[in-house]
Amino acid sequence: MAEPTKEELMARIAELEKQAGAKRGNRIEFKVSEKGGRVRLSDSADALRSFLQENKSWLKLKGSE
């Protein structure tokens, strides 16, 4: 499998940023209310797991070189 080109990587980044919505820096924030906060939190956890699985080859574990 050939490595992606710079243009392909930039397009993928743009796609992921569009999916993520507004950029909020390097932090994740959750607001949990009495009405449905738990459901939205669970949905976000599933999306995060999906993202990590899809991008596993690009990610490194902390402490592994």
Side-chain angles (χ1 to χ4, degrees):
M1 185 171 162
E3 294 216 4
T5 65
K6 180 180 178 181
E7 291 79 17
E8 290 170 329
L9 291 174
M10 296 303 287
R12 179 68 175 145
I13 290 170
E15 178 184 335
L16 291 172
E17 286 179 344
K18 184 178 178 183
Q19 289 175 1
K23 188 175 181 179
R24 296 182 184 198
N26 290 332
R27 60 184 189 189
I28 298 174
E29 295 180 11
F30 293 101
K31 292 183 180 179
V32 180
S33 67
E34 293 180 21
K35 296 182 180 180
R38 182 173 175 226
V39 172
R40 287 191 296 271
L41 182 60
S42 296
D43 290 346
S44 296
D46 293 339
L48 178 58
R49 282 188 201 95
S50 176
F51 172 82
L52 292 173
Q53 186 63 34
E54 289 172 10
N55 296 284
K56 189 183 245 182
S57 64
W58 296 98
L59 304 172
K60 291 183 179 181
L61 294 175
K62 187 174 183 178
S64 66
E65 295 287 325

